[in-house]
Each structure stands twice: as C-alpha cells, then as structure tokens.
Amino acid sequence: MRIDIITVLPELIKSPLEHSIIKRAKEKGLVEIVIHNLRDYASDKYKTVDDYAFGGEAGMVMKIEPIVKVIEFLSSQRDYDEIIYTSPDGKPFSQSTANSLSLLKNIIILCGHYKGIDQRIRENIISMEISIGDYVLSGGELAAAVISDAIVRLIPGVISDETSALSDSFQDGLLAPPVYTRPAEFRNWKVPDVLLSGNAAEIDKWRMEQSLERTRKLRPGLIDDDN
Ligand code: ADE
C-alpha cells in the first residue's frame, strides 16, 4: 500500500510514522508513506498556500492551485483509490473505516489547515472526508497520523501474529478483554485463576464475557448501535 500525505507542516507528521509497527511495515515493504510539502507546489516566490476568505469570514483558506497541482501530479503517476481530506466535519473515523482503507492500494491524505480548504476542492477532488473526533485540532496532521497508524497495522502481514490485530478493541465491535503478564501475584493483586488454568475453551469464554461486560459498562452505545 502507498499513502501520500499532503501537508504544510511535513515535520509534524514525520515522526509519528517512523516508529514501531509502521517502521517495521515500511522495512518489510508492505507500506510506503510519502510526505509532500504543499509549499513546494505554490507558484509565487513567497510559496503562498493560503489566502483571505471571500465574504469577510475571519481566518485564512487554503488555496486551490497548489492542492490541485500536487494531486494532479500524483494522479499522473498512479491511480488513487481514495483522496481523503482530514476535517472536523468529516465522517467519524472508525475501526471499520480503517479496515476498508487498509485493503486499498494507493490513497492520498490531504491535511486541512487554517479555516480549511476552498470548498471547490471538496466538491470536485476529495472522495472522502474524515474526522477523528468531535474536537478541533490545530491542523489535520495529527489526524492524518492517527488514520495512517490505524490503517497500516491492519495491512495483511504487518503484524506477524495476525490474530493480534484481529483481537484489538473494536475489531469485533467490542472492547478488548483485560490482559495480564507475570508475576501471577503482586502485592496480593492476583491474575484471574482461569487464565492460569490452561483450559483454552474456558479462557476463550472468559475473554468473551469480559469483552461484553466491559463494552456494556464503558461503551454501551457500541452494543446498542448494532441493534
Ligand atoms: N482537523 C482539525 N480537527 C480535526 C479533527 N477532529 N479530525 C480531523 N481533522 C481535523
């Protein structure tokens, strides 16, 4: 999979995508992440990427031309399955969206900034708008990092024990059960007996019960929403 990220702050997005699982996925050749500085596509000597909003609205708006230029350049190199724009008014990001995106070959993520991008880009070029939550970030870079991280770990082969990604919270619409490691007892805090029993069927049953119980208690909407 290839992810092209377009931003006015390349340094902000670089580091979160250079460690841990994403780093290994890149090394294994399972994902290529290319970051593009939008300013490189500005045509004037000041590298202008924003301008005043028509109609007197406060704040700056990202200009059409540099965005069209970079997206047309990328699209001339390969076909893109989705051109995503990060914005607080996009579709709420979810594990199921991450699952679908992880199966694609090439995607572009355009990071929003300032007051946003000229509406004509949203109407004519963007195929999907994603919000990572009902709050406003200073820019779309952290959202793009979150989206990329959630997608990359799901690409087949990225996590060697694939069942590990499959048993994540939300993967089956439920929160994950609690986990424990050694020692089996610490200051009288004990690991549940069933996990030490070696009885795989009982352990699976316990995990499912815990998942359901935690989801009902902490995120009842996840269960109700399915009904
Ligand atoms: N840009 C600013 N806030 C955002 C959010 N909540 N999700 C995605 N992009 C954003």
Side-chain angles (χ1 to χ4, degrees):
M1 177 180 202
R2 177 176 163 127
I3 305 176
D4 287 275
I5 301 177
I6 304 167
T7 169
V8 291
L9 290 173
E11 290 306 314
L12 182 55
I13 184 124
K14 247 176 95 188
S15 170
L17 305 178
E18 281 177 347
H19 305 276
S20 178
I21 290 175
I22 302 199
K23 181 179 178 201
R24 289 200 296 277
K26 285 178 177 170
E27 286 166 359
K28 283 190 199 166
L30 294 169
V31 70
E32 187 181 0
I33 301 178
V34 187
I35 298 172
H36 306 271
N37 188 344
L38 187 61
R39 288 188 199 283
D40 294 342
Y41 295 83
S43 50
D44 63 323
K45 68 173 176 185
Y46 303 107
K47 303 279 174 209
T48 309
V49 290
D50 59 335
D51 208 338
Y52 295 101
F54 279 129
E57 168 91 14
M60 304 297 274
V61 175
M62 288 170 80
K63 286 167 69 61
I64 291 191
E65 300 94 319
I67 295 175
V68 167
K69 202 166 162 191
V70 59
I71 292 180
E72 283 184 352
F73 168 70
L74 292 172
S75 303
S76 72
Q77 311 284 307
R78 65 196 66 77
D79 288 335
Y80 284 91
D81 304 301
E82 293 286 0
I83 302 179
I84 297 165
Y85 171 55
T86 57
S87 161
D89 49 12
K91 179 181 170 219
F93 191 51
S94 65
Q95 191 66 25
S96 80
T97 308
N99 279 329
S100 334
L101 292 175
S102 74
L103 301 174
L104 302 181
K105 196 156 179 282
N106 301 310
I107 63 171
I108 291 174
I109 305 180
L110 169 64
C111 303
H113 243 275
Y114 315 111
K115 270 282 162 198
I117 53 175
D118 190 300
Q119 180 65 19
R120 290 166 288 182
I121 298 169
R122 298 173 80 159
E123 286 167 8
N124 295 294
I125 292 184
I126 299 300
S127 63
M128 184 179 211
E129 302 195 353
I130 296 181
S131 161
I132 62 158
D134 289 341
Y135 39 80
V136 179
L137 302 165
S138 310
E141 285 72 20
L142 297 179
V146 166
I147 294 164
S148 303
D149 185 289
I151 295 173
V152 170
R153 62 200 306 288
L154 293 169
I155 297 172
V158 166
I159 297 185
S160 42
D161 175 4
E162 268 192 64
T163 56
S164 168
L166 294 178
S167 62
D168 285 344
S169 275
F170 302 111
Q171 199 59 35
D172 53 6
L174 298 174
L175 300 185
V179 292
Y180 300 85
T181 185
R182 289 182 292 180
E185 186 169 345
F186 176 81
R187 292 189 187 159
N188 214 20
W189 303 336
K190 291 184 183 151
V191 170
D193 287 339
V194 61
L195 295 181
L196 309 175
S197 70
N199 183 331
E202 281 299 311
I203 292 173
D204 281 351
K205 185 165 158 262
W206 179 86
R207 287 205 175 111
M208 182 44 77
E209 286 165 1
Q210 289 288 320
S211 274
L212 280 166
E213 194 181 314
R214 279 167 57 82
T215 310
R216 267 195 211 106
K217 196 164 140 204
L218 301 172
R219 295 291 305 276
L222 288 178
I223 295 176
D224 297 345
D225 289 351
D226 285 346
N227 296 335

